[in-house]
């Protein structure tokens, strides 16, 4: 197998410097598909720098990413780079600009400009637009406050759980009204098809996709279901299983198999009779089911035919030739597969019926949800997407909005594009499509990795990346691809490549990381080991004094044993190869399992930093400092002062705290001042 290509431009291999030059070229649009650890954010910031060096104003750049944290990181990295360009020695500045693809011929012109960019960006009356999609959508809505349909005074909310619960209660009550009889019958049918629990999940999923639903209704009230009908084709109207009796070729193949089976032993003769009877009895679902049982058992496994011996073998060879046994088996399996395909296609009618019921019920559910939000003057992220899409898709308002956008943004940069949902891309596409072939169309820079799409629960769709890539490529954008990471050692990359080779969207990776690294395969925990741990815990059970003994968290015995195995592997690697503690990162599936691993590492004497309790702000030391700051801001906060006095910052003991508590001054701060003026202990 050939070695994987590290860098590609429009499908052709290129070297890293050329890759960077194309990606950062301000004069062209670019789509970059890059693996984890390949420097996507570095490349995006480098592109922003080159745009500024090419004369773009800071306010003409629109950079959109997926989270506020990522947007803040991008802003900080750009400002740090500009600060470095302003103050670093000239040789270092030249090196930075060359790394970002600036040709040597442009260095004399770019040097003074690079030195001044930091001040220019900070002093710009309109700052850089580095936002999340939703922040940008909010600004779009604000551009056209009267036509957006958003009443004044609405508050944006992320927590919609209580709103959804209230909407569901109202929805169920509304079904008792005569005007909603059709929705009521649809819900009953939905219960019949999938059960009440799954029906509720489907309705909640419908609510999650409300922005897409509302957008689809712009094409007509029945547009979503019409699209599904077209997708299902004739199978949506007629049960595909009945089509067997209209397919002369397939019926002929089945009858031919029956004739051959009829020349075998009694078991095969009975099967031949059953096949012929089902075919000649006429089109019905019962006859199709009877036919299918002659090819597959009740577990879906293909039935055997005993066609390689006795009378059956002679009949097969007479019909199919000297090597007829293999041909007969192949024909039998192919015919069975054709029947299974008809059975699968028969579900298309059920799919249509299910979605028809869901859409009718979901529309009423959505109506109640929107009413609840209106009453509470709440606005959610899906509302932002829907109103932004409606403004750009509506010809009556799009021209005005388009002119406002055109007057400001000349360059669009989209980060982590694999986590974009279809409606978000539709909004950007509607904006770009309005330009047609206009040369003033903004440049577009898209970077992402479909393999890293992790926000499906937020409606992210990795196929959007491919759609955007193909569309922009048709319009002349360069398509770049890199699979070279800086994060993982060679052996780890090797295991990754072997594990994901069958994935159609995965391409083998290479690495720039130094060292070979190691991959450990630890033995699985046996049931006997797990039971031994459980028995030991049961034997050692004893009541504890809750005032002096902390409660031990009960952990799954398997997690405890896994933690011990991991600790021993780390110790062996350190003693045998001198590995540093910081060379190891332990990733677990769920945070709740971390306690078992922490216990094992602690028992083995291995230092670690854990995220179990939610990070630095949850540590006791930081809690002490927060209490101190709280007291300094609000001296009347007696609880914060008591916390600080008891902490190691001051170390006041319990007896002194009791003494303060018994004084008569109105606040603890006044009591502390009064006590300090007397013969108080040193800590006080």
């Amino acid at each position: 197998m050939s070695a994987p290509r590290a860098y590609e431009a429009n499908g052709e291999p290129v070297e890293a410097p050329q890759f960077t030059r194309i990606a950062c070229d301000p004069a062209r649009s670019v789509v970059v598909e890059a693996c984890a650890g390949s420097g996507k954010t570095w490349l995006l910031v480098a592109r922003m720098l080159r745009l500024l060096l090419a004369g773009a104003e800071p306010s003409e750049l629109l950079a959109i990413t997926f989270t506020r944290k990522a947007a803040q990181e991008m802003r900080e990295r750009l400002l740090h780079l500009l600060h470095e360009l302003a103050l670093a020695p000239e040789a270092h500045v030249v090196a930075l600009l060359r790394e970002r693809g600036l040709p040597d011929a442009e260095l004399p012109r770019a040097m003074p400009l690079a030195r001044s960019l930091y001040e220019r960006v900070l002093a710009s009356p309109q700052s850089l637009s580095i936002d999340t999609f939703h922040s940008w959508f909010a600004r779009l809505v604000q551009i056209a406050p009267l036509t957006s349909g958003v009443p004044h005074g609405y508050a944006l909310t992320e927590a919609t759980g209580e709103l959804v619960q209230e909407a569901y209660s109202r929805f169920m009550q509304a079904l008792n009204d005569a005007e909603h009889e059709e929705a009521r019958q649809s819900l009953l049918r939905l219960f019949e098809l999938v059960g009440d629990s799954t029906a509720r999940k489907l309705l909640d999923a419908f609510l999650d996709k409300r922005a897409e639903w509302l957008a689809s209704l712009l094409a007509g009230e029945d547009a979503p279901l019409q699209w599904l009908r077209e997708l299902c084709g004739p199978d949506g109207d007629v049960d595909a299983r009945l089509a067997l009796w209209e397919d002369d070729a397939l019926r002929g193949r089945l009858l031919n198999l029956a004739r051959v089976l009829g020349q075998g032993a009694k078991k095969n003769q009975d099967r031949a009779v059953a096949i012929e009877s089902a075919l000649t009895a006429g089109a019905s679902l019962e006859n199709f089911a009877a036919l299918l049982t002659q090819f597959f058992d009740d577990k879906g496994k293909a039935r055997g035919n005993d066609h390689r011996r006795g009378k059956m073998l002679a009949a097969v060879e007479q019909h199919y030739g000297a090597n007829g046994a293999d041909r007969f088996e192949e024909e039998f399996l192919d015919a069975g597969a054709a029947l299974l395909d008809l059975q699968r296609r028969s579900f298309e009618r059920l799919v249509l019926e299910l979605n028809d019921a869901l859409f009718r019920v979901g529309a009423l559910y959505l109506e109640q949800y929107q009413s609840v939000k209106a009453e509470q003057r709440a606005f959610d992220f899906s509302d932002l997407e829907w109103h932004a899409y409606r403004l750009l898709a509506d010809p009556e308002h799009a021209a005005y909005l388009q002119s406002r956008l055109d007057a400001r943004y000349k360059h669009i940069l989209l980060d982590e594009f694999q986590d974009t949902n279809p409606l978000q891309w539709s909004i950007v596409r509607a904006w770009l499509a309005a330009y047609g072939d206009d040369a003033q169309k903004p440049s577009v820079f898209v970077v992402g990795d479909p393999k890293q799409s992790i926000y499906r629960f937020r409606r992210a769709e990795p196929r959007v990346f491919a759609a955007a890539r193909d569309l922009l490529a048709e319009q002349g954008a360069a398509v770049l691809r890199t699979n070279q990471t800086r994060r993982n050692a060679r052996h780890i990359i090797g295991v990754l490549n072997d594990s994901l080779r069958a994935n159609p969207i995965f391409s083998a990776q290479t690495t720039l990381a130094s060292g070979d690294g190691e991959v450990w395969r630890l033995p699985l925990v046996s049931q006997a080991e797990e039971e031994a741990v459980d028995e030991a815990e049961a034997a050692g059970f004893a009541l504890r004094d809750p005032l002096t003994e902390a409660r031990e968290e009960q952990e799954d015995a398997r997690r405890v044993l896994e933690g011990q195995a991991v600790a021993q592997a780390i110790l062996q690697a350190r003693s045998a190869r001198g590995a540093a503690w910081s060379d190891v990162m332990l990733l677990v599936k769920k945070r709740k399992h971390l306690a078992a691993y922490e216990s094992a590492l602690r028992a083995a004497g291995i230092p670690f930093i854990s995220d179990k309790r939610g990070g630095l702000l949850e540590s006791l030391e930081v809690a002490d400092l927060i209490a101190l700051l709280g007291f300094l801001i609000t001296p009347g906060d007696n609880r914060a002062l008591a916390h600080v006095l008891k902490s190691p910052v001051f170390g006041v003991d319990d007896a002194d705290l009791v003494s303060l508590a018994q004084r008569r001054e109105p606040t603890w701060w006044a009591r502390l001042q009064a006590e300090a003026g007397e013969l108080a202990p040193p800590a006080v």
Side-chain angles (χ1 to χ4, degrees):
M1 186 179 65
S2 60
R5 296 175 177 179
Y7 299 95
E8 291 182 10
N10 298 323
E12 298 296 327
V14 296
E15 297 299 321
Q18 185 181 358
F19 180 93
T20 304
R21 279 196 298 273
I22 296 173
C24 297
D25 185 354
R28 65 199 312 173
S29 292
V30 180
V31 179
V32 181
E33 181 179 343
C35 67
S38 59
K40 293 190 290 292
T41 304
W42 182 94
L43 199 62
L44 194 145
V45 171
R47 169 89 176 188
M48 296 175 75
L49 170 64
R50 291 290 306 279
L51 290 170
L52 294 171
L53 289 174
E57 292 297 325
S59 60
E60 294 177 344
L61 274 60
L62 172 63
I64 299 177
T65 189
F66 196 69
T67 65
R68 287 190 291 267
K69 181 180 179 181
Q72 182 61 28
E73 179 188 358
M74 192 187 305
R75 183 183 301 275
E76 290 175 354
R77 289 177 69 163
L78 177 62
L79 291 177
H80 181 270
L81 174 60
L82 298 183
H83 183 267
E84 191 174 7
L85 290 172
L87 301 179
E90 183 172 336
H92 185 60
V93 173
V94 169
L96 290 175
L97 296 178
R98 282 174 174 163
E99 283 178 0
R100 286 150 182 83
L102 191 74
D104 287 348
E106 295 187 26
L107 284 173
R109 177 197 64 82
M111 281 294 293
L113 184 57
R115 293 289 198 185
S116 64
L117 277 180
Y118 186 58
E119 179 183 1
R120 177 180 157 203
V121 169
L122 292 180
S124 174
Q126 290 183 306
S127 62
L128 284 161
S129 296
I130 303 179
D131 284 320
T132 64
F133 264 115
H134 292 123
S135 296
W136 183 56
F137 293 157
R139 291 217 304 275
L140 287 182
V141 171
Q142 291 168 2
I143 288 175
L146 298 180
T147 57
S148 66
V150 181
H152 178 70
Y154 271 53
L156 186 63
T157 178
E158 294 185 48
T160 59
E162 292 184 3
L163 297 175
V164 170
Q165 192 59 43
E166 174 65 20
Y168 191 77
S169 298
R170 293 192 187 185
F171 158 70
M172 295 301 288
Q173 293 172 4
L175 290 172
N176 295 319
D177 299 340
E179 61 181 304
H180 297 137
E181 178 61 23
E182 185 179 20
R184 182 173 177 274
Q185 294 302 323
S186 295
L187 181 62
L188 292 175
R189 181 55 179 153
L190 202 59
F191 286 160
E192 291 177 9
L193 292 172
V194 297
D196 55 351
S197 176
T198 303
R200 174 65 191 271
K201 293 179 181 177
L202 286 173
L203 285 169
D204 287 340
F206 179 91
L207 206 61
D208 288 339
K209 298 276 189 178
R210 56 191 173 276
E212 285 83 358
W213 168 258
L214 293 171
S216 68
L217 292 181
L218 290 179
E221 187 174 345
D222 196 40
L225 201 60
Q226 182 59 36
W227 171 83
L228 191 58
R229 287 195 184 99
E230 294 173 1
L231 192 64
C232 293
D235 292 338
D237 299 320
V238 180
D239 194 307
R241 290 171 291 185
L242 301 179
L244 168 63
W245 282 269
E246 299 178 3
D247 188 342
D248 293 336
L250 181 55
R251 285 178 65 243
R253 291 173 62 191
L254 294 171
L255 288 171
N256 192 44
L257 288 171
R259 281 193 289 272
V260 176
L261 287 169
Q263 299 177 49
K266 185 177 185 308
K267 176 182 176 181
N268 286 334
Q269 292 175 6
D270 293 341
R271 294 179 67 191
V273 171
I275 292 173
E276 291 179 350
S277 298
L279 289 171
T280 56
S284 73
L285 300 183
E286 293 77 9
N287 290 335
F288 184 90
L291 183 63
L292 196 64
T293 59
Q294 302 307 313
F295 288 83
F296 301 95
D297 60 22
D298 54 358
K299 295 182 179 179
K301 186 178 180 181
R303 294 187 183 277
N305 297 294
D306 294 332
H307 61 286
R308 296 183 183 275
R309 59 185 180 180
K311 295 169 58 179
M312 186 65 192
L313 177 59
V316 166
E317 290 182 342
Q318 180 182 358
H319 191 84
Y320 290 99
N323 297 319
D326 291 338
R327 290 186 57 197
F328 175 81
E329 183 172 12
E330 182 179 342
E331 175 67 8
F332 188 86
L333 293 175
D334 286 348
L339 293 176
L340 282 181
D341 183 58
L342 290 174
Q343 186 179 49
R344 283 191 291 267
R345 286 169 50 192
S346 70
F347 288 109
E348 301 289 6
R349 293 179 68 230
L350 194 61
V351 167
L352 268 178
E353 187 177 0
L354 174 66
N355 281 275
D356 181 49
L358 176 62
F359 291 170
R360 294 180 189 279
V361 178
L364 179 59
Y365 186 23
L366 177 57
E367 180 183 321
Q368 300 301 319
Y369 178 68
Q370 299 292 67
S371 297
V372 171
K373 285 192 300 179
E375 290 175 9
Q376 300 188 20
R377 306 191 69 76
F379 204 62
D380 60 30
F381 289 136
S382 290
D383 292 329
L384 283 177
E385 293 179 1
W386 154 239
H387 285 292
Y389 177 80
R390 185 177 59 81
L391 286 171
L392 281 170
D394 186 350
E396 184 179 349
H397 310 303
Y400 168 74
L401 203 64
Q402 189 83 26
S403 65
R404 293 291 301 273
L405 292 173
D406 295 350
R408 179 168 183 184
Y409 302 121
K410 307 300 181 187
H411 308 281
I412 307 171
L413 302 99
L414 303 172
D415 189 22
E416 302 293 356
F417 197 78
Q418 73 277 355
D419 290 322
T420 302
N421 68 50
L423 192 61
Q424 291 169 345
W425 166 238
S426 296
I427 294 170
V428 177
R429 186 179 59 188
W431 175 20
L432 297 176
Y435 285 92
D437 296 327
D438 191 343
Q440 298 301 313
K441 179 184 296 187
S443 71
V444 182
F445 182 80
V446 172
V447 62
D449 181 11
K451 301 184 293 300
Q452 295 184 64
S453 184
I454 60 174
Y455 286 99
R456 294 297 291 268
F457 66 94
R458 292 185 182 176
R459 303 170 17 246
E461 175 51 67
R463 288 176 293 181
V464 170
F465 186 95
R469 178 194 62 207
D470 296 343
L471 177 64
L472 293 172
E474 290 176 4
Q475 298 174 358
V479 177
L480 306 180
R481 185 175 183 178
T482 177
N483 54 11
Q484 189 161 68
T485 182
R486 294 170 172 82
R487 291 181 183 169
N488 301 317
R490 186 170 59 85
H491 287 327
I492 296 175
I493 290 296
V495 172
L496 177 71
N497 290 339
D498 291 340
S499 302
L500 297 178
R501 202 175 302 281
N503 190 322
I505 67 171
F506 178 81
S507 59
Q509 295 185 7
T510 60
T511 182
L512 286 173
S514 59
D516 291 337
E518 294 182 7
V519 177
W520 304 332
R521 183 176 180 179
L522 303 180
L524 294 175
V525 174
S526 68
Q527 184 175 356
E529 291 176 309
E530 184 179 353
E531 292 173 351
V533 172
D534 291 336
E535 291 173 1
E537 290 180 353
F541 173 77
L543 294 175
R544 64 181 177 86
D545 182 353
L547 297 178
T548 60
E549 260 185 86
R551 180 175 65 87
E552 291 187 4
E553 296 183 22
Q554 296 297 317
E555 290 290 341
D556 188 324
R558 288 170 295 179
R559 305 296 175 187
V560 174
L561 292 169
E562 285 175 0
Q564 293 172 355
V566 169
Q568 290 305 311
I570 294 173
L571 291 174
Q572 291 173 10
R574 184 171 173 82
S575 63
R577 292 170 293 282
W581 300 125
S582 58
D583 289 340
V584 181
M585 173 181 283
L586 179 60
L587 302 177
V588 297
K589 188 174 183 181
K590 294 183 179 179
R591 181 176 293 182
K592 71 176 186 178
H593 301 318
L594 279 175
Y597 297 104
E598 288 182 7
S599 299
L601 295 174
R602 194 176 294 112
I606 299 175
F608 62 89
I609 298 175
S610 172
D611 192 39
K612 178 178 76 72
R613 295 194 300 173
L616 181 63
L617 293 180
E618 297 296 329
S619 66
L620 294 175
E621 295 83 356
V622 172
D624 293 340
L625 294 176
I626 291 175
L628 174 58
L629 294 172
F631 162 70
L632 293 175
I633 294 171
T634 312
D637 189 342
N638 295 335
R639 184 176 179 276
L641 178 55
H643 181 153
V644 174
L645 293 175
K646 179 64 176 175
S647 74
V649 177
F650 296 104
V652 176
D653 61 27
D654 291 342
D656 295 330
L657 290 176
V658 171
S659 175
L660 287 171
Q662 292 174 343
R663 296 188 67 95
R664 295 187 177 276
E665 286 79 8
T667 66
W668 274 54
W669 174 228
R671 297 175 189 182
L672 185 65
Q673 290 176 306
E675 184 117 343
E678 303 170 0
L679 296 177
V684 173

